[in-house]
Amino acid sequence: MDWQTLADELFGAGHGITRDGDLLRGTVEFDGQPLTVIGSTDHAPVGVQLALAQARAVLDTLAQHPSRGILLLIDTQGQQLRRRDELLGINRAMAHLGMCIDLARRRGHRVLGLVYDQALSGGFITSGLIADACDALPEAEIRVMRLPAMARVTKLPEAMLAGLSESNPVFAPGVDNYVAMGGVRKLWQGDLATALREALASAPTADQRAEDGAARGGRRMAARVAQLVLDAP
Amino acid sequence: MISYAECSARERLALVVDKGSFHEWLPPSMRLTSPHLAQLGVPSAFDDGVAIGRATLDGHEVFVAAQEGEFMGGGVGEVHGAKLVGLMKRALRDRPKAVVLLAESGGVRLHEANAGLIAVSEVMRALLDVRTAGIPVIVLIGGANGCFGGMGIVARCADHIVMSDLGRLAMSGPEVIEASHGVEEFDSRDRALVWRTTGGKHRWLSGDCDALVEDDVAAFRAAAITALDAARPVTLDLLEAEHARLAARLLFEGNDAVAFWASTGAADAARVPDLDVAALQPLGAH
C-alpha cells in the first residue's frame, strides 16, 4: 500500500507525516493522543544516512516526549549495498538505530512496527523486529534475500530453492510465514484504524516471538532450545 | 603464539578461558541439530555451529559462546540462534561477571533464512537485556569468516569489541556488494581493499572496535580479561554521543579508507596498511 493512502486511512487528511527523500517522519494524533511516526518509503535501502535519520527521530521523541508511542512504517529493500556505507560502519549505524528503539521500549514508549509494503533483512532487524511488536498488512512482502542471490551464496540450485519456497515457511517470502514463525504478530484485516487501535493496546513488552512461533507451528525449536539452556546442568 | 584465526571455535574457547574451566551446555552429545538443513540435503552439526557454556576467566565466572566458521560460515539458524538467546537469558538470571562471545559468522544462515532472521533479532534483544543489567557483553572477532550481517549488528550492540588485524566486521560481504553494484563499486578479490574497508585496523582507527590485538589466542585472552569491567549500560546520553560520532562521519566524502583515516587525523594514513598492530595501537580513536 502507498504510504499516503495508509496515512490518510489511519489518521485522516492533513495527518502531519512528511516525506524527506526516503524518510517518513511526523507527529500524528490518534484517538486524541500524539503518536510519533517514523518510517521509510519507496523500498528504501537503509544506509548510514537513513539509519541515522530514523535514529534521530527516535532520540528526539525520547528526549522531548516521555512515554509517547512510536509507530514504525516499514518499506525497505534491506541494507544499502555500497562500499562507502561499509567503510562508514553501516552495521554500527544500524545497531545504533536498533538500540535507540530498544531504549525507547525500556523507557515505556510503546513501539509498534508495521510492514506496509516490503521488508528485507538488515533493514528489518533494526526496525520492526526490535519493536515491542511488529504487524504487517496482508499484501506486504517480507524476505531475507532474493532467490537468485540466495542460490549464489548457498550454492544450492535456484530451482530447488524456488520449490522449497512453495512449501517451506523457512524459505518462503510471504508474511503468513513470518506470522507462523512468530516474527510478525498479526496481519491487519479490515478497518486499518481499528487494527492500529487494537495493536497499540495489545503490544507485549516482553519478547514472546519464540513462544508464538512454537504455538503457531512455524518455528518449533527456538523456545524449547532456549529453555534447555536455562535448565542445563 | 597460536593463531586465533586458524583455531576452531572449540580450540579458541579452550585457550581463551581459564584452562579446563569450560563447561558446555547442550553439548554435541545431545545432537540438537537444525530441523531445516536435512530438507536441503545439507549436512548438519550436532552443535548447530555454536558452542555455549560457562567458564572462568582470570578466576571470574563468565558465560561464553563460540561460533564455528567452518560450519555454514557461522551462519545463524533457528537452533544456533536459540542457543545464543538461551545463554543471554541465563546470564540475566544467574549474573555472571561477563558474557564473552567469540563471534565468527556470515550473519543469517540463508538455508533457513526466515527463522535465522528472526533469531538474530531475538539475540539482539536478549543481548541488550544483559547489557542493560550491567553485565558486560564482550565480543571477540578474529576468525577467517569475519563477523557480518546480522551478527555485525549484534556485535555493535555489545559493550566491548576486541579485534585482530585479520578480523573483519561489517554488514554485507564484498561479494554481495560486487554482485549488486559491480566490480568498480567493490572488487571482492582485492584483499587489501577488503581489509582496508572492513578489517581490524580500520575498525580500530575509526573507533568501531575497542581493542586491537595480534592474531594470537593469548592476546585475545588478555584483552578479554581487561574488558571484564567494561560494562557500558545504554543511556540516552550514551546514545546521543554515539549519534554525534556517527553523524560526523557523514561529512566525509567518498569511499576510500586511506582518505578516511587521514580525515580523522591519523598521521601517515597511507602507511597504515603496512604498520603492525603494535605500531597502530597508540593511534586508535580512544
Side-chain angles (χ1 to χ4, degrees):
Chain A
M1 183 180 281
D2 170 61
W3 76 269
Q4 282 158 315
T5 308
L6 175 69
D8 286 349
E9 285 201 28
L10 284 175
F11 311 115
H15 42 69
I17 304 170
T18 55
R19 175 179 178 172
D20 178 8
D22 290 332
L23 176 74
L24 302 178
R25 188 177 175 175
T27 303
V28 298
E29 195 171 290
F30 186 71
D31 287 348
Q33 297 289 325
L35 184 67
T36 295
V37 176
I38 303 166
S40 59
T41 186
D42 210 15
H43 307 339
V46 180
V48 174
Q49 189 161 23
L50 183 55
L52 290 183
Q54 293 184 305
R56 183 71 259 158
V58 179
L59 289 172
D60 287 347
T61 300
L62 273 166
Q64 295 160 21
H65 307 291
S67 80
R68 178 178 291 182
I70 299 174
L71 175 65
L72 305 171
L73 296 180
I74 298 153
D75 176 24
T76 172
Q77 60 179 265
Q79 65 269 19
Q80 178 73 273
L81 299 170
R82 293 286 185 181
R83 178 149 65 96
R84 170 180 162 81
D85 287 88
E86 294 297 343
L87 183 77
L88 298 186
I90 181 175
N91 62 307
R92 183 173 182 170
M94 296 180 90
H96 173 60
L97 171 58
M99 288 170 66
C100 289
I101 294 170
D102 186 79
L103 184 67
R105 287 198 303 103
R106 292 177 197 279
R107 290 172 52 135
H109 299 258
R110 288 285 63 76
V111 185
L112 182 70
L114 176 68
V115 184
Y116 70 95
D117 193 323
Q118 187 185 92
L120 264 88
S121 131
F124 191 32
I125 286 183
T126 55
S127 60
L129 287 179
I130 201 160
D132 284 309
C134 186
D135 297 348
L137 299 186
E139 67 269 30
E141 180 184 300
I142 304 177
R143 63 167 80 223
V144 171
M145 194 182 265
R146 295 184 191 290
L147 285 184
M150 201 183 275
R152 199 164 51 229
V153 176
T154 60
K155 300 181 176 64
L156 293 167
E158 191 178 333
M160 179 193 190
L161 295 178
L164 281 162
S165 290
E166 297 295 318
S167 59
N168 187 329
V170 170
F171 289 96
V175 280
D176 292 316
N177 293 319
Y178 274 82
V179 174
M181 289 185 297
V184 167
R185 187 177 53 155
K186 63 178 174 183
L187 305 181
W188 287 10
Q189 312 283 359
D191 179 63
L192 294 176
T194 305
L196 175 60
R197 190 168 298 117
E198 287 175 5
L200 286 170
S202 63
T205 51
D207 192 345
Q208 302 172 347
R209 292 173 291 178
E211 287 76 15
D212 287 349
R216 298 169 184 175
R219 207 159 48 111
R220 299 173 188 277
M221 295 283 280
R224 184 165 78 84
V225 168
Q227 187 61 44
L228 282 173
V229 179
L230 285 167
D231 298 338
Chain B
M1 181 159 143
I2 300 171
S3 165
Y4 184 94
E6 291 177 15
C7 284
S8 71
R10 287 168 189 281
E11 288 167 345
R12 283 174 196 153
L13 259 185
L15 292 164
V16 165
V17 302
D18 296 347
K19 192 175 178 186
S21 71
F22 175 57
H23 170 81
E24 184 165 1
W25 292 320
L26 279 50
S29 58
M30 283 179 69
R31 302 195 171 195
L32 277 171
T33 58
S34 163
H36 310 298
L37 293 178
Q39 288 180 283
L40 297 168
V42 172
S44 54
F46 290 152
D47 60 6
D48 206 36
V50 63
I52 60 165
R54 64 175 149 74
T56 61
L57 181 61
D58 199 28
H60 300 280
E61 184 183 52
V62 292
F63 288 3
V64 291
Q67 296 176 298
E68 177 52 65
E70 289 292 309
F71 180 68
M72 316 241 77
V76 179
E78 178 174 351
V79 173
H80 182 124
K83 288 173 79 172
L84 293 173
V85 170
L87 187 78
M88 297 297 170
K89 288 187 170 187
R90 188 158 178 161
L92 201 58
R93 184 188 75 188
D94 297 349
R95 311 235 155 202
K97 175 79 171 169
V99 175
V100 184
L101 171 57
L102 283 62
E104 180 171 3
S105 179
V108 172
R109 184 187 297 166
L110 292 175
H111 304 74
E112 39 191 291
N114 297 341
L117 186 70
I118 299 168
V120 168
S121 76
E122 288 170 333
V123 173
M124 229 175 120
R125 275 181 70 163
L127 185 155
L128 289 169
D129 284 343
V130 173
R131 183 170 174 182
T132 300
I135 302 164
V137 180
I138 302 160
V139 178
L140 312 184
I141 301 170
N145 291 279
C147 182
F148 283 86
M151 285 306 299
I153 297 175
V154 167
R156 278 302 325 171
C157 289
D159 296 76
H160 192 90
I161 298 177
V162 178
M163 289 183 76
S164 71
D165 55 334
L166 295 186
R168 287 176 295 156
L169 171 61
M171 188 71 210
S172 303
E175 298 83 3
V176 174
I177 294 174
E178 182 184 317
S180 180
H181 285 104
V183 70
E184 309 77 24
E185 176 70 22
F186 204 165
D187 182 351
S188 63
R189 293 187 184 182
D190 185 340
R191 288 175 59 86
L193 174 67
V194 169
W195 259 262
R196 281 202 305 276
T197 308
T198 63
K201 288 178 180 177
H202 170 53
R203 295 307 179 204
W204 169 244
L205 290 175
S206 63
D208 288 354
C209 69
D210 303 284
L212 179 71
V213 299
E214 298 281 3
D215 174 38
D216 174 9
V217 283
F220 272 98
R221 172 179 159 83
I225 291 171
T226 302
L228 281 172
D229 292 310
R232 295 192 310 135
V234 180
T235 62
L236 186 54
D237 285 346
L238 180 136
L239 291 180
E240 285 285 7
E242 174 75 354
H243 197 89
R245 198 176 298 118
L246 292 173
R249 291 184 182 182
L250 289 174
L251 301 175
F252 174 76
E253 292 180 9
N255 59 9
D256 179 66
V258 174
F260 181 81
W261 301 329
S263 78
T264 64
D268 277 343
R271 285 185 56 234
V272 163
D274 302 321
L275 294 177
D276 59 20
V277 167
L280 280 168
Q281 276 165 340
L283 301 181
H286 300 270

